[in-house]
Amino acid sequence: MSWTSQNPDVPDDPCGAGPGFTDWSGLPTPARAEAAATCAAWAPEVQARFGCFVEIGTAETDTAGPLAGLPYAAKDMFDSVGRSPGCGLPAAADDGPAPERAAAVLERLDGAGARRIGFTTMTALAYEPSGVGRALNPWNRDIVPGGSSSGSAVAVAAGAVFAALGSDTAGSLRIPAQACGVTAWKPTYGAVPVAGAMTLAPSLDTIGLLARSARDIQLMAPVLAADMAFPSEPPARVALLSDAVEASEAPIQAACREAVEAIAACGVSLEQRQGLPAIEALSDALFLILQAEAAAQHGGLALAARDPTLARRLAKGLDITPDRLVAAKAALSGATAPILDSLLGEADALLLPVMPIRTPPVAVADPASPDFRAATLYQLSAYTRFVNALGLPAVAVPAGFDDRGMPVALQIVGRPGTDGALLALAAALQARTGWHRQRPSNITDFPSPLAQRGS
């Protein structure tokens, strides 16, 4: 089997709810123009149902290029010509003159022919992992959509676009990927340019993609990370972080083990390793860096009345001294090589759940709710933040469903610069399974061109 070929024996919707969404890669070229037009027409309906856009309007792009016509959206944190991003705040974070140049990632995608459908909602300053109060999860409106790239994930999951830009500082691409049942790529730190993007914590911020499939990300990634090689072969050896799986809720364990079995069936050598204490030990340094840098970037904003929760988060970093920040960065830098050796050994990639818990209800994640549990927000990023601490690439792939019918995701993590191999492994998994193609149960009337099977 080719690593990127579609398995014709896998149904679009393996759970039997009806035909699932296709990906851009699966569409024959003549069908792509119709699918792109359908996305543009469908986006307002998706917005009406799930509130995932802050602005809809197709940008002018070159009709040629490797991504010609591909409909995408962008998290509302990127400059575009004549438009300042809202960054999830009630009013624009910057009242200065409108940008005269678009963010580098928008220039690259638009220059490659991709068709921008609009800008998507996000949590305030990308500083919240659940997505509460923004877009609604198309799988279940009572379940969080994941943050901070919530609108981007919802737009992809609901069929308004084939891919969307987001950012990831401690898991903000991978968490909504699980919540909304889509695929995410968090690149190696520094591989994708951040010029023209809102910053939260510059030492941790990464710009990446949410999409329907790893194959679609394979098309787009070389455009965004132009200086990186993207080999088409997956890693030969992978390690399962077995103690992280065992520490997860039972439905997460079951889904991830099934996905790991599918990876092993691709001919990849699989071993099991222990490593949960090592990744947990990185959390204190990461949170210190995140809090200190976020306060330095945004601590001067007058947020107390507009967003008191965000104001409290930013205030945590104001008292962190420069010496403590330098020490935390040095600790992570010195730990990278030994921790990677400990986690991976001779393996080329690491497998573990995206989250140890099922995607939580809104009531549990909303600070205004009487059922709010702060520990839940901490758990959302428990398995993702070490990736940012070490600057690693990661891919989140749909891995089945939990006992409530909500998506579960598996995380594939590698050493810096191995993004292409991780995406190839994700594509191999998706060639054997159909989890990434199932549509949300709340959508029964999406336009047929978005469900066409490619050849």
Side-chain angles (χ1 to χ4, degrees):
M1 175 187 294
S2 167
W3 286 111
T4 58
S5 64
Q6 178 73 38
N7 186 343
D9 298 323
V10 177
D12 275 336
D13 187 346
C15 295
F21 288 124
T22 188
D23 59 11
W24 189 255
S25 303
L27 286 172
T29 300
R32 290 181 173 180
E34 182 182 5
T38 301
C39 278
W42 178 237
E45 179 64 27
V46 171
Q47 166 63 10
R49 299 184 191 190
F50 306 114
C52 55
F53 288 99
V54 297
E55 179 179 303
I56 297 175
T58 303
E60 293 295 329
T61 60
D62 193 341
T63 56
L67 305 180
L70 190 156
Y72 82 97
K75 187 174 180 177
D76 188 25
M77 57 176 284
F78 300 104
D79 290 347
S80 59
V81 177
R83 180 187 185 276
S84 297
C87 302
L89 295 173
D94 183 5
D95 296 326
E100 296 181 359
R101 182 172 180 178
V105 288
L106 297 187
E107 289 184 339
R108 291 187 178 189
L109 291 180
D110 295 349
R115 181 179 182 181
R116 190 180 345 126
I117 298 297
F119 290 94
T120 55
T121 58
M122 57 182 284
T123 59
L125 299 181
Y127 205 170
E128 202 278 337
S130 74
V132 165
R134 308 295 173 176
L136 300 174
N137 192 322
W139 290 89
N140 185 330
R141 290 173 172 83
D142 294 326
I143 303 294
V144 303
S148 61
S149 304
S150 48
S152 288
V154 171
V156 174
V161 292
F162 282 79
L165 285 166
S167 67
D168 194 311
T169 302
S172 290
L173 285 161
R174 291 158 286 157
I175 294 168
Q178 161 149 328
C180 296
V182 298
T183 306
W185 169 50
K186 182 271 175 201
T188 296
Y189 178 78
V192 175
V194 297
M198 184 213 80
T199 58
L200 177 62
S203 297
L204 306 169
D205 294 343
T206 310
I207 307 303
L209 288 169
L210 294 141
R212 297 188 188 173
S213 72
R215 290 200 302 169
D216 283 357
I217 295 177
Q218 285 178 306
L219 285 177
M220 302 176 74
V223 173
L224 291 177
D227 296 330
M228 177 180 284
F230 285 89
S232 59
E233 291 300 314
R237 295 173 294 187
V238 299
L240 174 66
L241 201 62
S242 56
D243 54 350
V245 176
E246 292 161 4
S248 302
E249 292 181 352
I252 301 293
Q253 291 188 37
C256 287
R257 290 191 187 281
E258 185 175 355
V260 169
E261 290 177 3
I263 286 175
C266 294
V268 178
S269 174
L270 177 67
E271 62 179 271
Q272 299 195 32
R273 301 183 68 84
Q274 304 283 304
L276 189 53
I279 67 173
E280 290 176 338
L282 300 171
S283 290
D284 286 347
L286 177 132
F287 280 125
L288 188 149
I289 293 169
L290 174 56
Q291 291 167 359
E293 293 193 345
Q297 297 291 315
H298 304 291
L301 293 177
L303 294 170
R306 290 188 293 160
D307 195 327
T309 300
L310 177 59
R312 287 193 296 270
R313 287 196 179 110
L314 290 172
K316 292 179 180 179
L318 294 175
D319 295 329
I320 297 173
T321 65
D323 287 347
R324 291 180 64 199
L325 178 58
V326 170
K329 291 181 178 181
L332 291 183
S333 178
T336 299
I339 288 179
L340 282 178
D341 289 343
S342 171
L343 293 176
L344 289 167
E346 298 298 319
D348 304 304
L350 185 70
L351 308 178
L352 72 162
V354 164
M355 299 191 296
I357 60 173
R358 297 174 299 168
T359 305
V362 169
V364 172
D366 185 355
S369 167
D371 298 321
F372 173 66
R373 294 200 294 268
T376 298
L377 297 185
Y378 185 84
Q379 287 179 297
L380 289 176
S381 64
Y383 289 176
T384 57
R385 52 186 177 251
F386 83 96
V387 172
N388 301 79
L390 303 179
L392 309 178
V395 178
V397 288
F401 299 86
D402 66 21
D403 54 325
R404 306 163 303 168
M406 292 299 296
V408 175
L410 182 73
Q411 190 173 193
I412 308 172
V413 181
R415 292 183 173 86
T418 62
D419 303 55
L422 304 185
L423 288 168
L425 181 57
L429 170 65
Q430 292 179 340
R432 301 187 67 89
T433 61
W435 298 310
H436 66 295
R437 294 198 305 279
Q438 186 172 350
R439 62 164 173 81
S441 55
N442 278 331
I443 301 176
T444 59
D445 58 343
F446 60 88
S448 59
L450 303 183
Q452 291 176 344
R453 286 294 298 272
S455 57

